[in-house]
Amino acid sequence: MLGRVFLARVLEPGDEVGGRWVRERGVVEVVRRLREGGRALPGASEKRWAGLCARAGKADPHRDLAAARSAGARFVIPGTAEWPGQLDDLGDARPLGLWVRGGPSLRMWALRSVAVVGARACTEYGAHMATALAAGLAERGWVVVSGGAYGIDGAAHRGALGAGGATAAVLACGVDRPYPPGHTALITRIAEQGLVVGELPPGDHPTPSRFVLRNRVIAALTRGTVVVEAAYRSGSLVTARAARRLGRHVMGVPGPATSALSAGVHELLRADAVLVGDAAEVVELVGAMGELPPERRGPVLPTDLLEPRTRRTLAGLPGRGTATAAEVARSAQTTKDDATARLYELRALGYVERHGDGWKLTRQAMISIRGGRSPC
């Protein structure tokens, strides 16, 4: 435990060279070599090794653990009961450990979780879709995971909390330093009702590279990633690409074809991402076998309930004016006697009326027929 806390202060998140050292030599040996300095471990230049040793000289795992305890956080490491096994899919880029604020078990929550990520400068449409998706997932018993940022991330967290559900924020800084500052109240609420997770030790600040590397944890921790609004260079696409590499489901919510904020999502959908529009479609992908969304279909019109030949007879009447039974029979491809019998049936149902030798549609029939047609 102390060795991993020490290394979390010395190595940057996602450092695959450091991860290989830990895998091949063990935590204790790597810590000893860094404390003693001397010859660099394989894969590190002299300059980089000197920088790591300088960090090691200032690392104090006891101080970090004390700071975490005062913030209500704990350090979860591989091999313990709370460690989510799916993070091992990251190989040598696996976190050395995770700082966790909140009462629930990280491992149990990760087993049934979905990431909802997207643009920081999102539109009202994007915020609405993220909120609705997160609320729907929370109502179905899924944990919504995001990055705590402005825009889509914040909307997803609020949607889950508003539905009385579970949400987890994975930060690119120390879990005791909510970032962005404008989301301090939101992240504090998440820590009280859910989980706040991070790789960096207490007090550490975010950097652009740490945001990017944080996204691999979001992707690995969850069953699938949903992207709601993302420009071509959006960081949320990094999460989607990481999810794809890890064999997780990648989903996208489409936007207007002219929206630059949806261009990145549309590129995902043109590749191999799955288009989703609500929580039920997300659960169909990430859930257990048989968790299917309801069948989608248009409204059932009264004329849909007619017997097929009767519907053809009704369709044989002109939109305006009258037609004789013989003319209707030709249009419906039937006999005059059959057409006459069905016209009387339609009159009893209120769809047609007789005018002398002719028949015409009633207002009720016009409304019913037009209700099933597109205005285009």
Side-chain angles (χ1 to χ4, degrees), residues 162-197:
T167 187
V170 182
L171 305 185
C173 57
V175 295
D176 61 334
R177 293 185 56 176
Y179 188 90
H183 272 181
T184 298
L186 174 62
I187 293 172
T188 300
R189 185 182 171 196
I190 293 171
E192 292 170 351
Q193 296 183 222
L195 291 173
V196 175
V197 182

PDB file of all heavy atoms in Angstrom, residues 162-197:
ATOM      1  N   GLY A 162     -30.567  13.707 -10.039  1.00  0.00           N
ATOM      2  CA  GLY A 162     -31.963  14.144 -10.032  1.00  0.00           C
ATOM      3  C   GLY A 162     -32.935  12.982 -10.045  1.00  0.00           C
ATOM      4  O   GLY A 162     -34.058  13.103  -9.529  1.00  0.00           O
ATOM      5  N   ALA A 163     -32.525  11.869 -10.645  1.00  0.00           N
ATOM      6  CA  ALA A 163     -33.383  10.681 -10.684  1.00  0.00           C
ATOM      7  C   ALA A 163     -33.211   9.822  -9.437  1.00  0.00           C
ATOM      8  O   ALA A 163     -33.789   8.730  -9.349  1.00  0.00           O
ATOM      9  CB  ALA A 163     -33.075   9.861 -11.932  1.00  0.00           C
ATOM     10  N   GLY A 164     -32.418  10.309  -8.482  1.00  0.00           N
ATOM     11  CA  GLY A 164     -32.188   9.527  -7.272  1.00  0.00           C
ATOM     12  C   GLY A 164     -31.285   8.339  -7.491  1.00  0.00           C
ATOM     13  O   GLY A 164     -31.298   7.376  -6.716  1.00  0.00           O
ATOM     14  N   GLY A 165     -30.466   8.397  -8.559  1.00  0.00           N
ATOM     15  CA  GLY A 165     -29.628   7.261  -8.904  1.00  0.00           C
ATOM     16  C   GLY A 165     -28.176   7.452  -8.506  1.00  0.00           C
ATOM     17  O   GLY A 165     -27.827   8.343  -7.734  1.00  0.00           O
ATOM     18  N   ALA A 166     -27.317   6.597  -9.071  1.00  0.00           N
ATOM     19  CA  ALA A 166     -25.899   6.546  -8.703  1.00  0.00           C
ATOM     20  C   ALA A 166     -25.050   7.169  -9.793  1.00  0.00           C
ATOM     21  O   ALA A 166     -25.290   6.964 -10.987  1.00  0.00           O
ATOM     22  CB  ALA A 166     -25.479   5.089  -8.492  1.00  0.00           C
ATOM     23  N   THR A 167     -24.039   7.926  -9.392  1.00  0.00           N
ATOM     24  CA  THR A 167     -23.107   8.513 -10.353  1.00  0.00           C
ATOM     25  C   THR A 167     -21.722   8.588  -9.741  1.00  0.00           C
ATOM     26  O   THR A 167     -21.571   8.691  -8.515  1.00  0.00           O
ATOM     27  CB  THR A 167     -23.576   9.906 -10.804  1.00  0.00           C
ATOM     28  OG1 THR A 167     -22.731  10.368 -11.867  1.00  0.00           O
ATOM     29  CG2 THR A 167     -23.549  10.926  -9.676  1.00  0.00           C
ATOM     30  N   ALA A 168     -20.700   8.515 -10.596  1.00  0.00           N
ATOM     31  CA  ALA A 168     -19.301   8.588 -10.163  1.00  0.00           C
ATOM     32  C   ALA A 168     -18.562   9.565 -11.063  1.00  0.00           C
ATOM     33  O   ALA A 168     -18.739   9.541 -12.290  1.00  0.00           O
ATOM     34  CB  ALA A 168     -18.640   7.211 -10.225  1.00  0.00           C
ATOM     35  N   ALA A 169     -17.748  10.421 -10.467  1.00  0.00           N
ATOM     36  CA  ALA A 169     -16.934  11.385 -11.207  1.00  0.00           C
ATOM     37  C   ALA A 169     -15.475  10.961 -11.132  1.00  0.00           C
ATOM     38  O   ALA A 169     -14.946  10.743 -10.043  1.00  0.00           O
ATOM     39  CB  ALA A 169     -17.109  12.784 -10.624  1.00  0.00           C
ATOM     40  N   VAL A 170     -14.840  10.814 -12.291  1.00  0.00           N
ATOM     41  CA  VAL A 170     -13.412  10.468 -12.353  1.00  0.00           C
ATOM     42  C   VAL A 170     -12.654  11.747 -12.682  1.00  0.00           C
ATOM     43  O   VAL A 170     -12.786  12.295 -13.777  1.00  0.00           O
ATOM     44  CB  VAL A 170     -13.148   9.382 -13.415  1.00  0.00           C
ATOM     45  CG1 VAL A 170     -11.667   9.016 -13.429  1.00  0.00           C
ATOM     46  CG2 VAL A 170     -13.993   8.147 -13.152  1.00  0.00           C
ATOM     47  N   LEU A 171     -11.855  12.232 -11.729  1.00  0.00           N
ATOM     48  CA  LEU A 171     -11.193  13.525 -11.861  1.00  0.00           C
ATOM     49  C   LEU A 171      -9.763  13.377 -12.387  1.00  0.00           C
ATOM     50  O   LEU A 171      -9.137  12.325 -12.234  1.00  0.00           O
ATOM     51  CB  LEU A 171     -11.163  14.242 -10.514  1.00  0.00           C
ATOM     52  CG  LEU A 171     -12.513  14.451  -9.805  1.00  0.00           C
ATOM     53  CD1 LEU A 171     -12.312  15.283  -8.542  1.00  0.00           C
ATOM     54  CD2 LEU A 171     -13.526  15.119 -10.730  1.00  0.00           C
ATOM     55  N   ALA A 172      -9.250  14.467 -12.968  1.00  0.00           N
ATOM     56  CA  ALA A 172      -7.870  14.511 -13.446  1.00  0.00           C
ATOM     57  C   ALA A 172      -6.990  15.266 -12.458  1.00  0.00           C
ATOM     58  O   ALA A 172      -5.976  15.848 -12.832  1.00  0.00           O
ATOM     59  CB  ALA A 172      -7.811  15.172 -14.818  1.00  0.00           C
ATOM     60  N   CYS A 173      -7.374  15.267 -11.189  1.00  0.00           N
ATOM     61  CA  CYS A 173      -6.636  15.961 -10.130  1.00  0.00           C
ATOM     62  C   CYS A 173      -6.876  15.200  -8.826  1.00  0.00           C
ATOM     63  O   CYS A 173      -7.529  14.159  -8.823  1.00  0.00           O
ATOM     64  CB  CYS A 173      -7.111  17.411 -10.005  1.00  0.00           C
ATOM     65  SG  CYS A 173      -8.885  17.569  -9.700  1.00  0.00           S
ATOM     66  N   GLY A 174      -6.357  15.723  -7.727  1.00  0.00           N
ATOM     67  CA  GLY A 174      -6.606  15.102  -6.440  1.00  0.00           C
ATOM     68  C   GLY A 174      -8.085  15.141  -6.089  1.00  0.00           C
ATOM     69  O   GLY A 174      -8.768  16.118  -6.390  1.00  0.00           O
ATOM     70  N   VAL A 175      -8.574  14.089  -5.457  1.00  0.00           N
ATOM     71  CA  VAL A 175     -10.010  14.020  -5.159  1.00  0.00           C
ATOM     72  C   VAL A 175     -10.412  15.016  -4.069  1.00  0.00           C
ATOM     73  O   VAL A 175     -11.599  15.229  -3.826  1.00  0.00           O
ATOM     74  CB  VAL A 175     -10.430  12.593  -4.745  1.00  0.00           C
ATOM     75  CG1 VAL A 175     -10.263  11.628  -5.910  1.00  0.00           C
ATOM     76  CG2 VAL A 175      -9.639  12.118  -3.528  1.00  0.00           C
ATOM     77  N   ASP A 176      -9.430  15.608  -3.422  1.00  0.00           N
ATOM     78  CA  ASP A 176      -9.731  16.621  -2.408  1.00  0.00           C
ATOM     79  C   ASP A 176      -9.764  18.031  -2.983  1.00  0.00           C
ATOM     80  O   ASP A 176      -9.991  18.999  -2.260  1.00  0.00           O
ATOM     81  CB  ASP A 176      -8.683  16.562  -1.295  1.00  0.00           C
ATOM     82  CG  ASP A 176      -7.266  16.839  -1.814  1.00  0.00           C
ATOM     83  OD1 ASP A 176      -7.020  16.578  -3.018  1.00  0.00           O
ATOM     84  OD2 ASP A 176      -6.429  17.313  -1.032  1.00  0.00           O
ATOM     85  N   ARG A 177      -9.513  18.147  -4.317  1.00  0.00           N
ATOM     86  CA  ARG A 177      -9.511  19.456  -4.973  1.00  0.00           C
ATOM     87  C   ARG A 177     -10.487  19.429  -6.133  1.00  0.00           C
ATOM     88  O   ARG A 177     -10.100  19.151  -7.274  1.00  0.00           O
ATOM     89  CB  ARG A 177      -8.115  19.803  -5.485  1.00  0.00           C
ATOM     90  CG  ARG A 177      -7.090  20.039  -4.391  1.00  0.00           C
ATOM     91  CD  ARG A 177      -5.782  20.502  -4.971  1.00  0.00           C
ATOM     92  NE  ARG A 177      -5.951  21.713  -5.784  1.00  0.00           N
ATOM     93  CZ  ARG A 177      -4.929  22.363  -6.353  1.00  0.00           C
ATOM     94  NH1 ARG A 177      -3.705  21.898  -6.230  1.00  0.00           N
ATOM     95  NH2 ARG A 177      -5.143  23.451  -7.056  1.00  0.00           N
ATOM     96  N   PRO A 178     -11.771  19.677  -5.885  1.00  0.00           N
ATOM     97  CA  PRO A 178     -12.762  19.617  -6.967  1.00  0.00           C
ATOM     98  C   PRO A 178     -12.376  20.537  -8.119  1.00  0.00           C
ATOM     99  O   PRO A 178     -12.008  21.700  -7.915  1.00  0.00           O
ATOM    100  CB  PRO A 178     -14.054  20.098  -6.290  1.00  0.00           C
ATOM    101  CG  PRO A 178     -13.854  19.809  -4.842  1.00  0.00           C
ATOM    102  CD  PRO A 178     -12.392  20.026  -4.595  1.00  0.00           C
ATOM    103  N   TYR A 179     -12.427  19.987  -9.323  1.00  0.00           N
ATOM    104  CA  TYR A 179     -12.124  20.762 -10.523  1.00  0.00           C
ATOM    105  C   TYR A 179     -13.127  20.385 -11.600  1.00  0.00           C
ATOM    106  O   TYR A 179     -13.391  19.209 -11.801  1.00  0.00           O
ATOM    107  CB  TYR A 179     -10.702  20.476 -11.008  1.00  0.00           C
ATOM    108  CG  TYR A 179     -10.291  21.397 -12.138  1.00  0.00           C
ATOM    109  CD1 TYR A 179      -9.670  22.606 -11.875  1.00  0.00           C
ATOM    110  CD2 TYR A 179     -10.567  21.061 -13.462  1.00  0.00           C
ATOM    111  CE1 TYR A 179      -9.316  23.468 -12.918  1.00  0.00           C
ATOM    112  CE2 TYR A 179     -10.223  21.917 -14.497  1.00  0.00           C
ATOM    113  CZ  TYR A 179      -9.592  23.111 -14.223  1.00  0.00           C
ATOM    114  OH  TYR A 179      -9.265  23.969 -15.242  1.00  0.00           O
ATOM    115  N   PRO A 180     -13.706  21.384 -12.304  1.00  0.00           N
ATOM    116  CA  PRO A 180     -13.459  22.823 -12.218  1.00  0.00           C
ATOM    117  C   PRO A 180     -14.034  23.432 -10.936  1.00  0.00           C
ATOM    118  O   PRO A 180     -14.967  22.875 -10.356  1.00  0.00           O
ATOM    119  CB  PRO A 180     -14.151  23.374 -13.454  1.00  0.00           C
ATOM    120  CG  PRO A 180     -15.250  22.392 -13.723  1.00  0.00           C
ATOM    121  CD  PRO A 180     -14.705  21.051 -13.345  1.00  0.00           C
ATOM    122  N   PRO A 181     -13.496  24.590 -10.504  1.00  0.00           N
ATOM    123  CA  PRO A 181     -13.982  25.203  -9.254  1.00  0.00           C
ATOM    124  C   PRO A 181     -15.471  25.484  -9.257  1.00  0.00           C
ATOM    125  O   PRO A 181     -16.122  25.417  -8.213  1.00  0.00           O
ATOM    126  CB  PRO A 181     -13.160  26.506  -9.166  1.00  0.00           C
ATOM    127  CG  PRO A 181     -11.919  26.223  -9.952  1.00  0.00           C
ATOM    128  CD  PRO A 181     -12.343  25.324 -11.071  1.00  0.00           C
ATOM    129  N   GLY A 182     -16.022  25.799 -10.430  1.00  0.00           N
ATOM    130  CA  GLY A 182     -17.453  26.066 -10.519  1.00  0.00           C
ATOM    131  C   GLY A 182     -18.321  24.858 -10.233  1.00  0.00           C
ATOM    132  O   GLY A 182     -19.533  24.996 -10.045  1.00  0.00           O
ATOM    133  N   HIS A 183     -17.719  23.678 -10.214  1.00  0.00           N
ATOM    134  CA  HIS A 183     -18.465  22.453  -9.926  1.00  0.00           C
ATOM    135  C   HIS A 183     -18.152  21.914  -8.528  1.00  0.00           C
ATOM    136  O   HIS A 183     -18.393  20.738  -8.254  1.00  0.00           O
ATOM    137  CB  HIS A 183     -18.152  21.382 -10.974  1.00  0.00           C
ATOM    138  CG  HIS A 183     -19.037  21.462 -12.171  1.00  0.00           C
ATOM    139  ND1 HIS A 183     -18.954  20.591 -13.241  1.00  0.00           N
ATOM    140  CD2 HIS A 183     -20.050  22.312 -12.481  1.00  0.00           C
ATOM    141  CE1 HIS A 183     -19.851  20.899 -14.154  1.00  0.00           C
ATOM    142  NE2 HIS A 183     -20.527  21.941 -13.713  1.00  0.00           N
ATOM    143  N   THR A 184     -17.634  22.776  -7.670  1.00  0.00           N
ATOM    144  CA  THR A 184     -17.306  22.325  -6.317  1.00  0.00           C
ATOM    145  C   THR A 184     -18.522  21.750  -5.599  1.00  0.00           C
ATOM    146  O   THR A 184     -18.468  20.673  -4.991  1.00  0.00           O
ATOM    147  CB  THR A 184     -16.715  23.483  -5.497  1.00  0.00           C
ATOM    148  OG1 THR A 184     -15.498  23.913  -6.118  1.00  0.00           O
ATOM    149  CG2 THR A 184     -16.426  23.039  -4.062  1.00  0.00           C
ATOM    150  N   ALA A 185     -19.649  22.471  -5.679  1.00  0.00           N
ATOM    151  CA  ALA A 185     -20.869  22.002  -5.009  1.00  0.00           C
ATOM    152  C   ALA A 185     -21.348  20.684  -5.616  1.00  0.00           C
ATOM    153  O   ALA A 185     -21.766  19.769  -4.892  1.00  0.00           O
ATOM    154  CB  ALA A 185     -21.959  23.061  -5.102  1.00  0.00           C
ATOM    155  N   LEU A 186     -21.282  20.569  -6.949  1.00  0.00           N
ATOM    156  CA  LEU A 186     -21.725  19.340  -7.611  1.00  0.00           C
ATOM    157  C   LEU A 186     -20.840  18.162  -7.218  1.00  0.00           C
ATOM    158  O   LEU A 186     -21.347  17.081  -6.873  1.00  0.00           O
ATOM    159  CB  LEU A 186     -21.705  19.531  -9.135  1.00  0.00           C
ATOM    160  CG  LEU A 186     -22.019  18.288  -9.975  1.00  0.00           C
ATOM    161  CD1 LEU A 186     -23.426  17.780  -9.699  1.00  0.00           C
ATOM    162  CD2 LEU A 186     -21.832  18.579 -11.467  1.00  0.00           C
ATOM    163  N   ILE A 187     -19.525  18.336  -7.251  1.00  0.00           N
ATOM    164  CA  ILE A 187     -18.612  17.238  -6.923  1.00  0.00           C
ATOM    165  C   ILE A 187     -18.732  16.862  -5.448  1.00  0.00           C
ATOM    166  O   ILE A 187     -18.639  15.678  -5.083  1.00  0.00           O
ATOM    167  CB  ILE A 187     -17.173  17.627  -7.314  1.00  0.00           C
ATOM    168  CG1 ILE A 187     -17.084  17.721  -8.842  1.00  0.00           C
ATOM    169  CG2 ILE A 187     -16.169  16.606  -6.790  1.00  0.00           C
ATOM    170  CD1 ILE A 187     -15.782  18.275  -9.366  1.00  0.00           C
ATOM    171  N   THR A 188     -18.967  17.852  -4.603  1.00  0.00           N
ATOM    172  CA  THR A 188     -19.187  17.547  -3.185  1.00  0.00           C
ATOM    173  C   THR A 188     -20.447  16.711  -3.009  1.00  0.00           C
ATOM    174  O   THR A 188     -20.474  15.750  -2.231  1.00  0.00           O
ATOM    175  CB  THR A 188     -19.306  18.853  -2.377  1.00  0.00           C
ATOM    176  OG1 THR A 188     -18.101  19.605  -2.528  1.00  0.00           O
ATOM    177  CG2 THR A 188     -19.550  18.562  -0.908  1.00  0.00           C
ATOM    178  N   ARG A 189     -21.485  17.056  -3.752  1.00  0.00           N
ATOM    179  CA  ARG A 189     -22.728  16.277  -3.679  1.00  0.00           C
ATOM    180  C   ARG A 189     -22.516  14.860  -4.205  1.00  0.00           C
ATOM    181  O   ARG A 189     -23.050  13.894  -3.649  1.00  0.00           O
ATOM    182  CB  ARG A 189     -23.818  16.988  -4.478  1.00  0.00           C
ATOM    183  CG  ARG A 189     -25.188  16.324  -4.357  1.00  0.00           C
ATOM    184  CD  ARG A 189     -26.220  17.026  -5.196  1.00  0.00           C
ATOM    185  NE  ARG A 189     -27.468  16.275  -5.234  1.00  0.00           N
ATOM    186  CZ  ARG A 189     -28.434  16.486  -6.131  1.00  0.00           C
ATOM    187  NH1 ARG A 189     -28.290  17.423  -7.051  1.00  0.00           N
ATOM    188  NH2 ARG A 189     -29.538  15.763  -6.111  1.00  0.00           N
ATOM    189  N   ILE A 190     -21.724  14.735  -5.280  1.00  0.00           N
ATOM    190  CA  ILE A 190     -21.433  13.398  -5.810  1.00  0.00           C
ATOM    191  C   ILE A 190     -20.698  12.572  -4.766  1.00  0.00           C
ATOM    192  O   ILE A 190     -20.989  11.384  -4.572  1.00  0.00           O
ATOM    193  CB  ILE A 190     -20.605  13.506  -7.107  1.00  0.00           C
ATOM    194  CG1 ILE A 190     -21.435  14.146  -8.226  1.00  0.00           C
ATOM    195  CG2 ILE A 190     -20.124  12.123  -7.556  1.00  0.00           C
ATOM    196  CD1 ILE A 190     -20.629  14.480  -9.470  1.00  0.00           C
ATOM    197  N   ALA A 191     -19.741  13.196  -4.066  1.00  0.00           N
ATOM    198  CA  ALA A 191     -18.993  12.472  -3.027  1.00  0.00           C
ATOM    199  C   ALA A 191     -19.903  12.023  -1.894  1.00  0.00           C
ATOM    200  O   ALA A 191     -19.671  10.972  -1.284  1.00  0.00           O
ATOM    201  CB  ALA A 191     -17.871  13.354  -2.482  1.00  0.00           C
ATOM    202  N   GLU A 192     -20.960  12.801  -1.620  1.00  0.00           N
ATOM    203  CA  GLU A 192     -21.884  12.446  -0.545  1.00  0.00           C
ATOM    204  C   GLU A 192     -22.853  11.346  -0.963  1.00  0.00           C
ATOM    205  O   GLU A 192     -23.225  10.485  -0.167  1.00  0.00           O
ATOM    206  CB  GLU A 192     -22.668  13.682  -0.115  1.00  0.00           C
ATOM    207  CG  GLU A 192     -21.800  14.743   0.579  1.00  0.00           C
ATOM    208  CD  GLU A 192     -22.537  16.044   0.770  1.00  0.00           C
ATOM    209  OE1 GLU A 192     -23.658  16.190   0.204  1.00  0.00           O
ATOM    210  OE2 GLU A 192     -22.007  16.936   1.461  1.00  0.00           O
ATOM    211  N   GLN A 193     -23.277  11.362  -2.238  1.00  0.00           N
ATOM    212  CA  GLN A 193     -24.280  10.400  -2.712  1.00  0.00           C
ATOM    213  C   GLN A 193     -23.702   9.299  -3.580  1.00  0.00           C
ATOM    214  O   GLN A 193     -24.355   8.282  -3.813  1.00  0.00           O
ATOM    215  CB  GLN A 193     -25.373  11.135  -3.499  1.00  0.00           C
ATOM    216  CG  GLN A 193     -26.163  12.115  -2.669  1.00  0.00           C
ATOM    217  CD  GLN A 193     -27.290  12.761  -3.466  1.00  0.00           C
ATOM    218  OE1 GLN A 193     -27.535  13.948  -3.367  1.00  0.00           O
ATOM    219  NE2 GLN A 193     -27.980  11.969  -4.263  1.00  0.00           N
ATOM    220  N   GLY A 194     -22.486   9.499  -4.085  1.00  0.00           N
ATOM    221  CA  GLY A 194     -21.897   8.526  -4.993  1.00  0.00           C
ATOM    222  C   GLY A 194     -20.424   8.364  -4.744  1.00  0.00           C
ATOM    223  O   GLY A 194     -19.992   8.166  -3.615  1.00  0.00           O
ATOM    224  N   LEU A 195     -19.622   8.470  -5.826  1.00  0.00           N
ATOM    225  CA  LEU A 195     -18.178   8.274  -5.722  1.00  0.00           C
ATOM    226  C   LEU A 195     -17.436   9.349  -6.516  1.00  0.00           C
ATOM    227  O   LEU A 195     -17.851   9.708  -7.623  1.00  0.00           O
ATOM    228  CB  LEU A 195     -17.781   6.900  -6.260  1.00  0.00           C
ATOM    229  CG  LEU A 195     -18.212   5.671  -5.458  1.00  0.00           C
ATOM    230  CD1 LEU A 195     -17.880   4.398  -6.229  1.00  0.00           C
ATOM    231  CD2 LEU A 195     -17.541   5.650  -4.094  1.00  0.00           C
ATOM    232  N   VAL A 196     -16.341   9.822  -5.944  1.00  0.00           N
ATOM    233  CA  VAL A 196     -15.395  10.682  -6.658  1.00  0.00           C
ATOM    234  C   VAL A 196     -14.071   9.928  -6.690  1.00  0.00           C
ATOM    235  O   VAL A 196     -13.566   9.502  -5.648  1.00  0.00           O
ATOM    236  CB  VAL A 196     -15.229  12.048  -5.967  1.00  0.00           C
ATOM    237  CG1 VAL A 196     -14.157  12.871  -6.666  1.00  0.00           C
ATOM    238  CG2 VAL A 196     -16.546  12.802  -5.966  1.00  0.00           C
ATOM    239  N   VAL A 197     -13.529   9.745  -7.894  1.00  0.00           N
ATOM    240  CA  VAL A 197     -12.382   8.859  -8.099  1.00  0.00           C
ATOM    241  C   VAL A 197     -11.267   9.627  -8.808  1.00  0.00           C
ATOM    242  O   VAL A 197     -11.537  10.487  -9.657  1.00  0.00           O
ATOM    243  CB  VAL A 197     -12.791   7.634  -8.949  1.00  0.00           C
ATOM    244  CG1 VAL A 197     -11.624   6.672  -9.139  1.00  0.00           C
ATOM    245  CG2 VAL A 197     -13.987   6.918  -8.323  1.00  0.00           C
TER     246      VAL A 197
END
